[in-house]
Amino acid sequence: MRTLLTALFTFGVIFISAAQSLDQYKYILIPETFEFTGEVDQYRLNSMTKFLFEKEGYITLMKTEEKPADLRQNPCLGVTTKLENNSGLFVTKLVLKLEDCYGNVVFSSEEGRSREKEFEDSYQEALRGAFESIKELNYQYEPNANISANVPLPKVVEVDEVEQPEEEVEEEVQEIMVEEMNEEKEEEPTQEDAGTNEYRYAGKTYTVKETAQGYGLFPENASEPIAILIETEGGKSFIYNSLTNQGIAYFDSQNNLVVEYFSRAENKKVIIKYERID
């Protein structure tokens, strides 16, 4: 009995520690391609990972998209998503891991499993299984003083100690830091700078608005988007993510918005073209 109580207590301490360690991180960074896959968002694992994290209240970012100002200043506010593939011949096995800015694993999920025969179905089922460990954490961001203070050092300026007095060196470093801060402010997009374009599909008008994450697809007079477009490959294509479908999107030579995804209900690939309104 004592052994059982000890085991339960130990598991409880480990579980609480994991929850607290994730609560202190503000952002989840997701790669466009996991190490064991060969294509961007293959099997829709990357877009599904983003969707599942956001469903649990996390702020997610694709690693290639523009970072918020606080994350640019302090990369340690975010953790990077890794998927460990332990699959065998008949069973797909995935473990979800999160690494801090130093490459240390701060969270490792239980192993998600699937016996589905189709690769996409099996990987997605295994990923959902691994996410059960995330659900149990009841994440709520709580700033940690140690992480918040972990700001990268400013650039070191090499100077000739004989020819340049120490006071001048300090002034030069301060000027460089001020210039870098001003550059960051200039790079941050504002609402006035964001592009807005109108498109038409099936007799309805939609608006594509540029955001920090990429683009949002808004129905006419709607305040919430029906889908988000996450930039990949330097803006040449996007991960399309709606409540019901995940796929890819891109702007063609006429600047029409083309969306492609696989419809399970119709069991076929669907292509939708939102025509640009000039």
Side-chain angles (χ1 to χ4, degrees):
M1 183 66 179
R2 179 177 297 177
T3 303
L4 177 60
L5 291 175
T6 301
L8 290 173
F9 175 76
T10 302
F11 174 79
V13 170
I14 294 174
F15 181 82
I16 292 173
S17 175
Q20 289 177 341
S21 65
L22 285 192
D23 286 345
Q24 62 189 339
Y25 297 104
K26 188 175 181 180
Y27 301 102
I28 303 291
L29 303 178
I30 302 169
E32 294 178 346
T33 305
F34 289 117
E35 291 183 359
F36 64 91
T37 60
E39 301 175 6
V40 173
D41 199 28
Q42 191 171 17
Y43 311 122
R44 296 191 294 173
L45 285 176
N46 306 76
S47 56
M48 179 172 285
T49 300
K50 181 177 176 67
F51 171 76
L52 293 174
F53 267 118
E54 290 178 349
K55 191 176 179 181
E56 299 303 317
Y58 294 83
I59 301 175
T60 67
L61 295 165
M62 302 304 292
K63 291 192 72 174
T64 55
E65 66 182 287
E66 185 176 354
K67 306 299 186 297
D70 58 347
L71 184 59
R72 292 202 306 268
Q73 184 181 15
N74 184 6
C76 293
L77 290 175
V79 288
T80 299
T81 308
K82 302 283 185 179
L83 268 187
E84 184 178 280
N85 187 5
N86 300 327
S87 301
L89 185 59
F90 301 108
V91 183
T92 300
K93 306 174 186 178
L94 294 179
V95 175
L96 180 70
K97 294 186 176 183
L98 296 174
E99 295 182 355
D100 64 13
C101 59
Y102 299 106
N104 301 314
V105 176
V106 296
F107 175 83
S108 184
S109 74
E110 292 294 323
E111 191 175 68
R113 297 189 171 199
S114 174
R115 291 184 177 273
E116 292 287 340
K117 295 181 180 180
E118 296 294 331
F119 281 122
E120 183 167 324
D121 293 338
S122 62
Y123 278 123
Q124 290 186 7
E125 184 177 42
L127 178 61
R128 290 184 182 276
F131 252 89
E132 291 300 316
S133 299
I134 295 290
K135 291 181 180 179
E136 296 173 355
L137 298 180
N138 296 318
Y139 169 82
Q140 186 174 1
Y141 175 58
E142 296 179 1
N144 182 295
N146 292 329
I147 291 181
S148 298
N150 190 14
V151 180
L153 295 174
K155 294 180 180 178
V156 176
V157 180
E158 294 184 2
V159 295
D160 190 328
E161 294 182 355
V162 176
E163 297 181 358
Q164 192 169 15
E166 183 176 350
E167 293 78 5
E168 294 182 10
V169 174
E170 292 179 355
E171 290 178 1
E172 185 173 336
V173 173
Q174 290 176 359
E175 289 176 1
I176 292 174
M177 293 176 64
V178 170
E179 289 176 2
E180 290 178 348
M181 292 174 62
N182 291 335
E183 287 177 1
E184 287 188 357
K185 289 180 180 179
E186 291 175 359
E187 291 174 358
E188 292 179 11
T190 62
Q191 187 173 1
E192 290 76 15
D193 295 333
T196 301
N197 298 307
E198 290 188 345
Y199 293 78
R200 182 176 288 114
Y201 172 72
K204 297 182 179 180
T205 301
Y206 296 84
T207 302
V208 175
K209 298 180 181 179
E210 189 175 358
T211 66
Q213 290 74 32
Y215 296 87
L217 182 62
F218 294 77
E220 190 173 15
N221 299 323
S223 59
E224 295 293 332
I226 61 171
I228 58 174
L229 309 178
I230 305 166
E231 186 172 323
T232 64
E233 299 184 37
K236 295 180 180 179
S237 63
F238 302 84
I239 295 175
Y240 174 86
N241 196 351
S242 71
L243 291 177
T244 56
N245 297 295
Q246 288 85 38
I248 63 171
Y250 57 90
F251 293 97
D252 64 15
S253 58
Q254 284 75 44
N255 207 21
N256 299 312
L257 174 62
V258 181
V259 176
E260 299 180 5
Y261 63 87
F262 183 82
S263 172
R264 292 185 178 276
E266 302 176 55
N267 194 31
K268 67 177 184 179
K269 182 178 180 180
V270 176
I271 301 178
I272 297 176
K273 179 183 287 188
Y274 293 87
E275 295 184 352
R276 170 74 177 272
I277 300 176
D278 294 327

